[in-house]
Structures are given as structure tokens and as C-alpha cells.
């Protein structure tokens, strides 16, 4: 196999681990691992194609070419790892030079491109040109997606054994929960999840060297790092799951979600529920919402289920109080005056709104 590789996906830790493993996979006959040299183009996003960014691309390509094209004489060779190579592909001359490097790797050296794709990306986008070129050159192309809930628990067991420890009953499940592996919503960034899980597992391994890590150990040492999800928050409010909505709202605000953004999304969901509630009260069946509201079938069914937990009166009251939250978060009082913007007061106001409206106990209101 040609010692070139293109590793891509949305699992940062696995991509970095796979790149490090290549230093041993491509070791010479003497078994000496390649010396790894890393560089990155990830700060090129948004820069112009001329001036300093173009010069930096040229300098980086010169440096990469020098390191991979120089044959080894003594000891191990060099593995060059280029992270986030998209910046090298935006301009045609740099793109041609980058692809030309695939045929310039001297015996004993290696070249790897490591591409951590964006949270919402479905593939390597422009870097697909490089991926295809690596495959055509006989190199390694490998996708490393973020771990699902079940795969995370399996991976934790394997990684624990690599660290010389064992996970006791319930420990893997609890650790997976603590790092957010059970969150399914699509607006959550999963790219650093296994990286976080590995760091916590290494900490636990130091706490229980050559021993079994119990569920109680995980609960005592691993902080709750479940990411907040706007979708999950809106669904919890709409389903009137007060405790769930309260916890997610706290995490969203702690992560820096602006209150006006959160309130704006909340207003939109309540508006949809009011429209669905009106249709249901008029005798419209849930399947008919697809045509009347031009909704996908799954979303129509979900909104109908959520709206069924509310009365029209309760939705009107909730929407009216959301207007108050929105004004307060922008420094405006209900009477039109000016009030100081205070994030703590806004957060308390949101929690009070959730307690008043997102509870099934009040579903008859």
C-alpha cells in the first residue's frame, strides 16, 4: 500500500488515534516507528485566497514536500500529518500541489491527511477531491464516525482494557451517560465526545490502577457533561416534561445560548402547537395535518401528540408569558420602560415559566 492516507469523519479522538497508529503501521523493517510531524490548515477558514493566506499555504506545502520527499538514511522515517487540509484545496494551484504530494513520498516516510468534518456536514465536501485522489493513489481512506450510544459502551470496555483496568457492572453505561452519549438530537456536537470519554477513563484508570472501576467510582469522579439540545428542550416543553425541560434549559444557558435565541425558538414551537390545537379542536385528524400545514408526516404526528397535552387556554397563557420573557431579556419592561439586562434574572424567569407552564399537572388549565 502506498504510505498515504486520508482519515475523515466526526470523531476527533478516533481520527487522531488512527493517525498515530500509522506511525507504527508504516514502520520500516527495523520496526522503528516513524517520527510524526503535525501541521494544520484549520485557521484558514474565511480568509482571502490572496495575500498572507496564499503565502502560508505555499510555505506549508514547501515544508511538507521537504519532509516527505527526503529519503531516510539512518533510523526511522517521517510521518507528516496534515490536519484540516481543506485550506489547501481552495485555490487550484495549491490543490494541484497537494495532490502531487501523493506521488512524492520517499521510501520510509508517510503522509496522512486528517479531516474532522463540521458538525452538520455529511461528508468531506471539497476535501472529497483529496479523498478520491488518495484512493486512486493506492492509499488508505477511512471514515471514522462519532460513536453511537451502544458503540460508545463497547468502545469504553475495549479502551479500559488497553489502559489496564476493567469496568464493573453499570460503569460503562453510567460513563456513557455522563459524557452525553445518550443524547440523540441532531443539533448536538458529537465530535469531541469520545475525546471527553477517553479523558475521563484515563482519570478513572489512575484512580483504580490495575483494578475494577465501579459504577460508584464513575458517579463520584465523572462530572455530568450532557450537552444541551435546543430540539430536546423544545420537545420537553411541548410534551410538558417539566424536569427534563428545566435541566436542558440550564445546560443551554450555561453553554452560552443567548436568551433571545432560546425564547425565539420557544415562541415558534408554541405558535405551531396553537395552530395544531386549533386544527384538532376543529375535528382535523393528525394525518390530515400533513396536507393542511405542509408538514412531514413524522413532525405532524409529533406535534399532534404534543398539542394533545395542552388546552387552547393553556397555550395562550404560555405564549403570553413568553412575550414577557422576550422583552425582559432585551431590557424592556412590560410597560415599555427600560430595565437592566441581567442573565441571572432571565434564567430564573425562564425556570419560573417552565414551572408555570411545562407541567402536566397544569394540563387542564
Amino acid at each position: 500500500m502506498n504510505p498515504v492516507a486520508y482519515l475523515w469523519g466526526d470523531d476527533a479522538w478516533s481520527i487522531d488515534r488512527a493517525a498515530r497508529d500509522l506511525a507504527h503501521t508504516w514502520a520500516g523493517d527495523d520496526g522503528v516507528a516513524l517520527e510524526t510531524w503535525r501541521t494544520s490548515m484549520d485557521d484558514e477558514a474565511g480568509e482571502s485566497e490572496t495575500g498572507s493566506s496564499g503565502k502560508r499555504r505555499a510555505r506549508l506545502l514547501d515544508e511538507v514536500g521537504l519532509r516527505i520527499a527526503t529519503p531516510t538514511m539512518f533510523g526511522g522515517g517521517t510521518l507528516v500529518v496534515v490536519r484540516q487540509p481543506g485550506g489547501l484545496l481552495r485555490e487550484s494551484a495549491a490543490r494541484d500541489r497537494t495532490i502531487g504530494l501523493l506521488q512524492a513520498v520517499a521510501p520510509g516516510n508517510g503522509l496522512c491527511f486528517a479531516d474532522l468534518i463540521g458538525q452538520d456536514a455529511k461528508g468531506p465536501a471539497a476535501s472529497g477531491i483529496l479523498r478520491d485522489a488518495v484512493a486512486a493513489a493506492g492509499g488508505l481512506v477511512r471514515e471514522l464516525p462519532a460513536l453511537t450510544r451502544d458503540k460508545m459502551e463497547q468502545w469504553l470496555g475495549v479502551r479500559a482494557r488497553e489502559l489496564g483496568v476493567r469496568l464493573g457492572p453499570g460503569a460503562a453505561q453510567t460513563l456513557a451517560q455522563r459524557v452525553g452519549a445518550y443524547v440523540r438530537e441532531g443539533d448536538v456536537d458529537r465530535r469531541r465526545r469520545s475525546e471527553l470519554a477517553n479523558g475521563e477513563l484515563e482519570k478513572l484508570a489512575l484512580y483504580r490502577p490495575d483494578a475494577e472501576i465501579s459504577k460508584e467510582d464513575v458517579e463520584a469522579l465523572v462530572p455530568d457533561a450532557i450537552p444541551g439540545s435546543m430540539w430536546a428542550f423544545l420537545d420537553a416543553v411541548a410534551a410538558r416534561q417539566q424536569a427534563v425541560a428545566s435541566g436542558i434549559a440550564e445546560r443551554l444557558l450555561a453553554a452560552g445560548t443567548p436568551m433571545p435565541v432560546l425564547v425565539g425558538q420557544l415562541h415558534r414551537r408554541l405558535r405551531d402547537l396553537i395552530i395544531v390545537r386549533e386544527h384538532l379542536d376543529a375535528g382535523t385528524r393528525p394525518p390530515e395535518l400533513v396536507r393542511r400545514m405542509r408538514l412531514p408526516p413524522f413532525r405532524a404526528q409529533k406535534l399532534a401528540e404534543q398539542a394533545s397535552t395542552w388546552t387552547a387556554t393553556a397555550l395562550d397563557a404560555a405564549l403570553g408569558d413568553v412575550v414577557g420573557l422576550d422583552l425582559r431579556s432585551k431590557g424592556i419592561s412590560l410597560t415599555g420602560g427600560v430595565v437592566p439586562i441581567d442573565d441571572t434574572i432571565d434564567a430564573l424567569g425562564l425556570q419560573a415559566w417552565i414551572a408555570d407552564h411545562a407541567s402536566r399537572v397544569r394540563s387542564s388549565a
Side-chain angles (χ1 to χ4, degrees):
M1 176 181 290
N2 189 3
V4 295
Y6 181 82
L7 307 174
W8 68 283
D10 52 357
D11 187 338
W13 187 89
S14 295
I15 291 174
D16 183 65
R17 170 69 178 268
R20 286 186 281 115
D21 288 346
L22 290 177
H24 298 276
T25 302
W26 292 341
D29 296 336
D30 57 4
V32 178
L34 304 186
E35 180 181 350
T36 301
W37 181 77
R38 292 180 173 83
T39 187
S40 175
M41 289 299 296
D42 58 359
D43 59 348
E44 287 288 290
E47 293 187 6
S48 66
E49 299 302 328
T50 59
S52 61
S53 61
K55 292 179 180 178
R56 181 171 181 268
R57 278 195 292 270
R59 288 196 301 269
L60 187 144
L61 288 168
D62 288 342
E63 181 72 8
V64 171
L66 180 64
R67 289 177 179 272
I68 64 172
T70 304
T72 59
M73 296 182 64
F74 305 101
T78 300
L79 169 63
V80 173
V81 177
V82 181
R83 295 191 293 261
Q84 304 309 105
L88 296 172
L89 308 173
R90 298 193 183 101
E91 188 269 325
S92 59
R95 182 167 59 247
D96 292 342
R97 286 191 64 188
T98 301
I99 294 175
L101 292 172
L102 303 178
Q103 305 298 332
V105 181
N109 295 330
L111 174 62
C112 173
F113 297 98
D115 198 357
L116 179 64
I117 63 176
Q119 176 184 347
D120 300 324
K122 295 182 179 179
S127 300
I129 298 172
L130 181 57
R131 175 196 60 191
D132 296 342
V134 170
L140 170 68
V141 175
R142 185 180 177 190
E143 180 183 3
L144 296 157
L147 299 174
T148 62
R149 179 183 69 178
D150 294 336
K151 290 184 178 180
M152 171 65 79
E153 293 181 17
Q154 296 173 6
W155 176 82
L156 286 170
V158 173
R159 182 61 182 147
R161 290 192 292 272
E162 291 177 349
L163 295 172
V165 294
R166 304 180 305 279
L167 293 177
Q173 181 182 34
T174 303
L175 181 52
Q177 289 175 334
R178 289 292 174 97
V179 299
Y182 279 40
V183 177
R184 297 178 180 273
E185 284 70 26
D187 60 335
V188 171
D189 192 343
R190 295 169 170 80
R191 294 177 297 170
R192 302 288 178 181
R193 179 176 292 167
S194 57
E195 193 172 70
L196 174 61
N198 180 70
E200 296 297 341
L201 196 55
E202 289 181 341
K203 178 176 68 177
L204 290 164
L206 290 174
Y207 181 69
R208 297 289 190 192
D210 302 319
E212 181 177 276
I213 297 171
S214 67
K215 176 182 178 181
E216 290 72 24
D217 292 334
V218 176
E219 292 173 341
L221 297 178
V222 179
D224 190 344
I226 299 175
S229 165
M230 183 68 74
W231 292 354
F233 169 69
L234 297 175
D235 283 341
V237 168
R240 309 192 85 165
Q241 298 171 339
Q242 178 186 348
V244 176
S246 176
I248 298 176
E250 185 176 349
R251 292 195 293 271
L252 285 170
L253 293 176
T257 302
M259 179 65 77
V261 172
L262 192 152
V263 173
Q265 294 293 326
L266 184 58
H267 178 275
R268 188 172 304 169
R269 176 60 64 91
L270 289 172
R271 182 193 61 191
D272 290 343
L273 290 173
I274 288 173
I275 296 173
V276 171
R277 182 71 261 178
E278 290 176 348
H279 278 298
L280 295 177
D281 290 343
T284 302
R285 296 180 302 168
E288 295 174 347
L289 294 173
V290 175
R291 176 177 56 84
R292 290 179 178 270
M293 296 183 64
R294 297 181 180 180
L295 295 172
F298 173 78
R299 178 163 173 75
Q301 180 63 35
K302 192 165 189 176
L303 284 173
E305 293 173 355
Q306 293 171 347
S308 67
T309 67
W310 297 77
T311 64
T313 302
L315 284 168
D316 288 341
L319 187 63
D321 286 349
V322 161
V323 173
L325 285 178
D326 183 53
L327 291 174
R328 180 67 184 76
S329 70
K330 297 173 181 176
I332 306 172
S333 70
L334 290 174
T335 59
V338 177
V339 296
I341 295 177
D342 190 311
D343 292 342
T344 300
I345 294 178
D346 290 343
L348 290 173
L350 177 61
Q351 292 294 342
W353 183 94
I354 293 171
D356 287 342
H357 299 289
S359 171
R360 287 180 181 267
V361 175
R362 300 174 58 90
S363 61
S364 60

